Amino acid sequence: GGGKSATPRLCPSLPRRASPDMLLWWIPLVAAAVGVAALPQPQNTQMRKTRAVPVRAKRSIEHIVQDCVMVTSEDGHFYYKATGAPDTPACGIFLITDPDKMVEVYFDYLDVPCNTGGLVSFVDGWEMNGQFFPSVEDHPKPLAQRFQEFCGSRQPKQVFLSTQNAALIQYRVPKRGRGFSFHVRYIRNPTPCNILIEGTSDVYTLRNYGKHVNCSLTAVYPAQVRVLQLGVGMTFSKRDM
């Protein structure tokens, strides 16, 4: 049968020495245009192999999940089946899309026994090595409401939707042959506030749409940031928004 587990939250067990120097830059703002340029990456192949966040996964017809840590911007149907390897770690599927979109996920199959320590979790944002995007201070939801955990044989009926352009599926499936599958769709976000970018050069506009909230721009890899236009501490009328 299905049911929620009291097991503590999952977190992909990535080596701390491989954690990227994440840049977290935020200000309470009305509007700001920010130019971001990725720093040149070292040519040392050993350094490339130790990055905590791999490059985006290539398009696959069936999106079969094989790596413990997977980053993808593809939509569609994803499948995972456990191999039963000893000391099964907690793994993660990191989903990221365009800054003006949100991540929608729903599960159509679940076979993750609770009694073997299996657990699947949808995270509104990213969690990696104990760090969160967006941060606890910037996200509109309390931290406890950003995690939805489940296990068993009944897939959740709920359709999960992220608040920003990034979400995470964390999982631990110790028993061989068991697994789950889910669908991913990216839908438009009319009021993007917190944005995650992964190393491309571009111009991004942050605004709080008249709300008393903090907005943030987070780069996965080290980056150079240049503020092109700034409007902070001013009040705009609705016709200016």
Side-chain angles (χ1 to χ4, degrees):
K4 291 188 177 180
S5 170
T7 306
R9 286 199 312 269
L10 298 172
C11 182
S13 53
L14 305 179
R16 287 193 177 275
R17 65 177 181 275
S19 176
D21 296 326
M22 297 186 69
L23 168 67
L24 179 59
W25 177 85
W26 66 266
I27 52 175
L29 52 82
V30 173
V34 182
V36 177
L39 295 176
Q41 295 297 319
Q43 297 301 313
N44 189 318
T45 56
Q46 291 184 347
M47 292 186 65
R48 288 183 179 179
K49 292 180 180 179
T50 59
R51 291 190 303 181
V53 180
V55 295
R56 289 185 180 184
K58 294 182 179 180
R59 179 176 293 275
S60 170
I61 296 176
E62 295 186 339
H63 297 306
I64 298 175
V65 179
Q66 296 178 326
D67 297 326
C68 183
V69 178
M70 176 182 181
V71 179
T72 181
S73 59
E74 301 290 347
D75 56 7
H77 203 181
F78 290 77
Y79 304 83
Y80 172 76
K81 180 178 288 188
T83 59
D87 300 325
T88 301
C91 297
I93 304 169
F94 293 80
L95 304 169
I96 183 170
T97 184
D98 298 332
D100 61 346
K101 292 183 179 180
M102 299 178 290
V103 184
E104 181 186 87
V105 173
Y106 74 91
F107 288 79
D108 63 340
Y109 174 74
L110 182 70
D111 183 15
V112 181
C114 303
N115 58 4
T116 61
L119 191 65
V120 180
S121 176
F122 173 84
V123 184
D124 185 359
W126 279 15
E127 178 188 9
M128 187 164 50
N129 293 337
Q131 299 184 25
F132 294 90
F133 167 80
S135 67
V136 177
E137 295 79 12
D138 294 337
H139 203 279
K141 297 180 182 178
L143 187 59
Q145 295 182 13
R146 295 170 61 181
F147 290 82
Q148 301 290 333
E149 300 176 345
F150 40 90
C151 59
S153 58
R154 294 181 181 178
Q155 69 270 21
K157 296 181 180 180
Q158 179 180 354
V159 176
F160 302 103
L161 182 65
S162 69
T163 310
Q164 61 290 310
N165 69 322
L168 168 63
I169 305 295
Q170 293 179 329
Y171 61 93
R172 181 176 60 245
V173 187
K175 194 167 183 179
R176 182 182 180 87
R178 304 301 179 93
F180 56 89
S181 65
F182 59 94
H183 292 264
V184 175
R185 189 166 70 103
Y186 301 118
I187 62 177
R188 183 177 176 272
N189 183 358
T191 57
C193 178
N194 296 300
I195 298 174
L196 180 66
I197 59 175
E198 54 167 345
T200 57
S201 299
D202 211 336
V203 175
Y204 302 90
T205 300
L206 299 179
R207 61 191 312 172
N208 62 4
Y209 300 91
K211 300 178 181 179
H212 294 286
V213 296
N214 293 330
C215 294
S216 63
L217 175 70
T218 302
V220 176
Y221 303 119
Q224 293 177 337
V225 177
R226 184 160 59 99
V227 178
L228 305 179
Q229 187 177 2
L230 184 65
V232 179
M234 298 181 295
T235 302
F236 291 160
S237 63
K238 290 185 177 180
R239 63 184 179 183
D240 295 328
M241 300 303 291

